[in-house]
């Protein structure tokens, strides 16, 4: 029987786990928090998919490619939008109660850069939480082994193939396939909408194992995180419902940047916000949702409504202060359309992976969809790829083990500030060179540090290298020293193999 370890428990990981299980594999889910402690749970806006007869796959695909600044891989886009409706049906079958209209149809929201309303939501703005709960319940009901509060220490590599993982406590879990679904690395930045666990552990482990990564320079900054109290996302759907951005003088400035104003692609609006903030001494811009009224705000956005009120604000009466914040990593571990990385036995899905689907900038609400579509494909693929017999006695190594310590050679806060200032929304050559030098000095410091800090440092170094290599501006990667120039699509930055050398399947044994 094929054994599969899935690291991470968001929509991509749990979908992959369920598909592998349903294909007859023996699956263990490993997660460093509790099962529901994921970025998925925080997702507010919803999940984009074509579910209305007036909508078309071509329209969803075109919006995806336009948001991606033309760098999206068309084959990946076709898979994403084409398989979206089936994955929505699957989620419904697993118990996700998407919001519906009075006549029982899906309620569909409009978000930035979508040609039409196609974003399904659940519990108003609690879509991720609803999906997380349903998938978690499905995993429990299916009897999958779940190892909570277990930190991935590293991948185990034998003869160039991943054969399992090592946990922080030293225990090894052997597997025919390891699926990395650890999310992104929002904690690289001083301001992020991501939870504390988003430290790029899977991407870093894949780099250490020799897997190719690409497009790490493409970090999406969400335009609107609450600028009061702990970081908190204010969904794009709020602007989709009619809220507008204003500066200190009350002027709507988003149309200066793009004819679609507040509903322009996310990177455009985020930079417009950053510029408006810079022009008013760094003070946050404000999101004016007062036209929606108290009742609508509370009913359509109950989670945000509660967070706003907890901070002593009344957004039905006053515009609320918002700031851009790191939100999503378009790049990651290079995979084919079934999640296979360039290292045999290693798969990656969701935000950890770079399928090419998002190009230089992800379309709103395509991330939950990505997790569902490519998670399912990877879960099916590991079953097809099958069991890899390993010759007994061959050398088995954990690549570059890292050791936890309470004396890290750099502070997390210093790393986050450096990345925010030099590799954030607006970048230029000197700042990136400075960041690279500082990161290199930290890398050269005493080796023992926390696993998460080691992950962040490694991913930061690759991200800054990628940002230096891409000398023009495109999508989410904006260089103030070359604001108009675009550069060709990126190539993998690390690893021994290339995107076009996806490992062939071994002999396929029945699961
Ligand atoms: C949002 O609700 O604005 C975020 C959704 C997304 O990241 O696509």
């Amino acid at each position: 029987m094929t054994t599969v370890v899935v690291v991470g428990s968001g929509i991509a990981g749990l979908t992959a786990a369920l598909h592998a299980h349903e294909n007859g594999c023996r699956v263990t889910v490993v997660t460093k928090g509790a099962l529901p402690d994921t970025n998925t749970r925080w997702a507010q806006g919803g999940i984009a998919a074509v579910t209305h007869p007036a909508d078309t796959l071509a329209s969803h695909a075109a919006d995806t490619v336009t948001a991606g600044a033309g760098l999206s891989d068309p084959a990946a886009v076709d898979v994403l939008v084409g398989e979206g409706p089936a994955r929505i049906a699957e989620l419904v079958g697993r118990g996700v109660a998407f919001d519906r209209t009075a006549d029982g149809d899906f309620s569909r929201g409009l978000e930035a850069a979508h040609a039409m309303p196609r974003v399904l939501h659940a519990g108003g703005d609690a879509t991720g939480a609803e999906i997380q709960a349903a998938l978690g319940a499905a995993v429990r009901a299916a009897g999958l082994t779940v190892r909570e509060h277990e930190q991935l220490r590293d991948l185990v590599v034998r003869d160039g193939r991943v054969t399992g993982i090592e946990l922080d406590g030293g225990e090894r879990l052997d597997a025919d396939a390891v699926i990395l679904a650890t999310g992104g690395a929002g904690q690289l930045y001083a301001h992020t909408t991501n939870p504390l666990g988003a430290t790029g552990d899977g991407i870093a482990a894949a780099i250490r194992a020799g897997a190719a990564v690409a497009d790490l320079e493409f970090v999406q900054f969400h335009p609107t995180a609450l600028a009061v109290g702990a970081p908190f996302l204010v969904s794009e759907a709020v602007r989709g419902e009619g809220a507008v951005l204003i500066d200190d003088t009350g002027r709507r400035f988003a149309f200066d940047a793009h004819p679609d104003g507040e509903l322009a692609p996310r990177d455009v609006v985020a930079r417009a916000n950053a510029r408006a903030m810079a022009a008013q001494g760094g003070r946050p811009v404000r999101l004016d949702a007062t036209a929606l009224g108290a009742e609508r705000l509370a009913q359509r956005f109950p989670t945000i409504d509660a967070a706003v009120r907890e901070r002593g604000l009344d957004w039905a009466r006053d515009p609320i202060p918002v700031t851009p914040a790191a939100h999503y990593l378009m790049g990651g571990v290079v995979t084919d359309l079934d999640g296979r990385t360039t290292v045999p036995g290693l798969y990656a899905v969701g935000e950890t992976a770079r399928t090419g689907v998002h190009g230089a900038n992800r379309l709103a609400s395509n991330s939950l969809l990505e997790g569902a579509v490519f998670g399912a494909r990877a879960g099916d693929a590991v079953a097809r790829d099958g069991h890899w017999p390993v010759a007994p006695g061959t050398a088995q190594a954990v690549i570059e083990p890292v050791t936890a310590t309470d004396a890290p050679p750099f502070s997390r806060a210093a790393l986050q500030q450096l990345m925010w200032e030099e590799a954030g929304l607006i970048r230029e050559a000197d700042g990136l060179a400075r960041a690279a030098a500082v990161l290199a000095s930290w890398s050269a410091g005493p080796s023992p540090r926390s696993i998460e800090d080691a992950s962040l440092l490694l991913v930061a170094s690759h991200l800054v290298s990628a940002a230096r290599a891409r000398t023009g501006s495109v999508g989410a990667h904006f260089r103030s020293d070359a604001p108009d120039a675009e550069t060709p699509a990126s190539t993998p930055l690390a690893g021994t193999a290339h995107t076009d050398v996806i490992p062939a399947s071994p002999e396929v044994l029945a699961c």
Side-chain angles (χ1 to χ4, degrees):
M1 177 184 272
T2 300
T3 52
V4 180
V5 168
V6 178
V7 188
S9 58
I11 185 170
L14 295 190
T15 301
L18 285 164
H19 271 252
H21 168 77
E22 287 154 6
N23 280 294
C25 300
R26 184 187 301 136
V27 180
T28 301
V29 177
V30 173
T31 182
K32 66 181 175 182
L35 193 68
D37 288 346
T38 67
N39 209 357
T40 291
R41 187 161 64 115
W42 289 33
Q44 295 173 0
I47 181 164
V50 174
T51 60
H52 191 276
D55 197 2
T56 63
L57 298 179
S59 170
H60 189 185
D63 291 346
T64 300
V65 170
T66 302
L71 293 194
S72 300
D73 174 349
V77 174
D78 284 351
V79 165
L80 180 82
V81 304
E83 296 181 12
R87 296 286 79 80
I88 295 294
E90 181 177 300
L91 286 168
V92 171
R94 296 202 198 277
V96 177
F98 289 110
D99 295 336
R100 293 185 184 262
T101 60
D103 59 9
D105 195 6
F106 288 126
S107 174
R108 298 178 189 82
L110 177 67
E111 290 188 18
H114 284 273
M116 63 185 307
R118 64 165 69 94
V119 179
L120 309 191
H121 45 87
D125 57 4
T127 314
E130 293 280 337
I131 290 174
Q132 186 71 50
L135 294 181
V139 161
R140 299 286 191 197
L144 272 60
T145 303
V146 177
R147 302 280 304 263
E148 297 174 284
H149 307 288
E150 298 277 17
Q151 168 77 49
L152 169 72
R153 185 180 190 187
D154 232 326
L155 295 161
V156 179
V157 180
R158 189 200 310 241
D159 295 339
R161 177 181 176 79
V162 167
T163 61
I165 66 168
E166 181 166 302
L167 299 174
D168 192 19
E171 184 184 355
R172 287 190 181 186
L173 305 181
D174 293 333
D176 296 302
V178 173
I179 303 178
L180 296 172
T182 54
Q187 290 299 325
L188 284 170
Y189 289 95
H191 305 282
T192 179
T193 62
N194 290 186
L196 282 172
T199 53
D201 301 341
I203 298 170
I207 291 171
R208 290 191 293 267
V213 294
D215 292 351
L216 291 176
E217 69 274 35
F218 295 132
V219 179
Q220 182 173 86
F221 291 85
H222 197 286
T224 55
L226 268 177
V228 177
F232 192 87
L233 176 71
V234 181
S235 175
E236 195 132 312
V238 178
R239 277 173 284 130
E241 295 279 340
V244 300
L245 290 160
I246 55 174
D247 63 17
D248 270 359
T249 68
R251 194 176 81 85
R252 278 179 80 177
F253 56 83
F255 285 96
D256 300 349
H258 195 281
D260 291 340
E262 286 87 357
L263 295 182
R266 201 170 272 178
D267 61 307
V268 175
V269 183
R271 281 194 298 275
N273 282 3
R275 287 198 190 94
M277 285 172 63
Q280 56 189 36
R283 285 184 302 284
V285 292
R286 283 172 298 148
L287 181 69
D288 186 349
T290 53
L292 277 68
E295 198 181 330
R296 177 89 184 121
L297 288 171
Q299 174 253 325
R300 174 68 179 86
F301 303 110
T303 316
I304 305 170
D305 191 60
V308 167
R309 291 182 187 285
E310 264 167 30
R311 288 162 174 77
L313 305 170
D314 180 355
W315 65 330
R317 205 189 53 203
D318 303 310
I320 50 172
V322 291
T323 175
H327 184 60
Y328 186 89
L329 187 56
M330 271 69 72
V333 185
V334 172
T335 71
D336 69 4
L337 299 181
D338 291 318
R340 296 183 195 91
T341 72
T342 53
V343 175
L346 184 64
Y347 300 71
V349 290
E351 195 175 348
T352 307
R354 181 272 188 197
T355 61
V357 74
H358 304 305
N361 191 21
R362 175 177 63 78
L363 180 66
S365 288
N366 266 357
S367 57
L368 290 176
L369 184 65
E370 170 191 32
V373 167
F374 290 102
R377 290 177 72 92
D380 295 342
V382 291
R384 282 199 309 276
D385 291 352
H387 173 62
W388 293 66
V390 177
T394 49
Q396 184 161 258
V398 174
I399 303 294
E400 277 188 31
V402 287
T403 317
T405 175
D406 54 8
F410 63 91
S411 86
R412 174 88 62 98
L415 172 71
Q416 292 171 330
Q417 200 53 37
L418 178 74
M419 293 297 287
W420 183 255
E421 283 168 9
E422 309 294 12
L425 285 103
I426 297 174
R427 306 160 174 179
E428 47 81 32
D430 290 348
L432 288 168
R434 236 182 341 268
V438 174
L439 293 170
S441 73
W442 286 338
S443 301
S447 144
R449 59 179 69 94
S450 86
I451 290 171
E452 289 183 333
D453 282 346
S455 298
L456 286 170
L457 184 55
L458 186 58
V459 175
S461 302
H462 282 268
L463 190 159
V464 168
S465 303
R468 294 182 78 188
R470 193 178 285 280
T471 51
S473 296
V474 58
H477 172 68
F478 183 80
R479 298 266 311 228
S480 58
D481 48 357
D484 300 320
E486 291 196 0
T487 47
S490 72
T491 48
L493 296 164
T496 50
H498 297 282
T499 40
D500 55 351
V501 190
I502 298 296
S505 297
E507 58 176 309
V508 177
L509 305 181
C511 278

